[in-house]
Amino acid sequence: MLFEKIIFAESMERKRALPPTYFMISLVAVFILYFVLPVIHIIPFPWNLWGIPPLLIGIYFNLSADRAFKEAGTTVKPFEESGSLITAGVFRISRHPMYAGMVLILLGIAILLGALTPFIVPLVFAILMETVFIRIEEQMMEDKFGQAYLDYENRVRKWL
């Protein structure tokens, strides 16, 4: 029951998958592609260790953004009305640090694995987040916060 509440958002007629669901599926896909269809290893050891920084930065982005949402007393769930516009911390670097963090984690793992096919996953994940969540969230933020959000949007990049 708790897992279901974390992974799915309640809607009037059906449950909608939340970003952590997409992330977990993407994480599994990275490893499936690596073990089943690696195609070619393009990053040998020790160069693959360059995957550690994006992995750690991605984790930091997600933890920092989550903490900022909690401190502001606003929702982290997509499609729910935000109670405040957060522009400090990691939100000075990215308007969507949690999505950017997830992409960085996937990219870091792909680099660590060193094979070609896992690199497809972070790209597909980013496109999905853009089309399924970010466009709607940004419109909701503009509707709620008006010029303050537009000013923020002009100052800070969407991803990184």
Side-chain angles (χ1 to χ4, degrees):
M1 189 70 139
L2 176 62
F3 177 75
E4 187 175 284
K5 287 183 180 181
I6 292 171
I7 302 298
F8 295 98
E10 300 285 337
S11 70
M12 294 181 92
E13 296 177 13
R14 65 181 176 91
K15 293 182 180 192
R16 176 180 274 175
L18 292 175
T21 304
Y22 287 86
F23 177 70
M24 295 306 287
I25 291 167
S26 298
L27 198 55
V28 169
V30 164
F31 287 103
I32 288 173
L33 288 171
Y34 174 72
F35 288 111
V36 176
L37 190 66
V39 178
I40 186 171
H41 284 275
I42 57 173
I43 307 174
F45 180 83
W47 301 109
N48 68 327
L49 296 178
W50 280 102
I52 295 171
L55 176 66
L56 294 177
I57 292 167
I59 292 169
Y60 173 77
F61 270 33
N62 275 277
L63 294 176
S64 294
D66 187 62
R67 184 175 51 248
F69 280 121
K70 287 178 181 163
E71 287 173 358
T74 191
T75 184
V76 69
K77 288 185 180 178
F79 313 122
E80 288 185 7
E81 187 174 316
S82 182
S84 61
L85 177 60
I86 304 170
T87 60
V90 291
F91 288 90
R92 287 179 294 147
I93 300 167
S94 170
R95 293 195 314 264
H96 302 281
M98 294 185 95
Y99 299 135
M102 290 180 211
V103 170
L104 286 169
I105 291 168
L106 293 169
L107 182 61
I109 292 170
I111 294 168
L112 284 167
L113 294 174
L116 181 63
T117 52
F119 284 93
I120 296 166
V121 176
L123 177 63
V124 170
F125 179 83
I127 291 168
L128 278 171
M129 293 304 99
E130 177 69 33
T131 56
V132 176
F133 297 103
I134 291 175
R135 289 181 185 166
I136 296 166
E137 288 177 11
E138 291 205 332
Q139 186 60 56
M140 289 175 67
M141 295 297 282
E142 184 180 337
D143 292 346
K144 169 96 179 186
F145 299 105
Q147 191 60 45
Y149 182 76
L150 293 173
D151 292 343
Y152 172 65
E153 188 176 49
N154 288 327
R155 262 190 341 266
V156 178
R157 291 177 182 229
K158 186 182 292 189
W159 288 94
L160 289 176

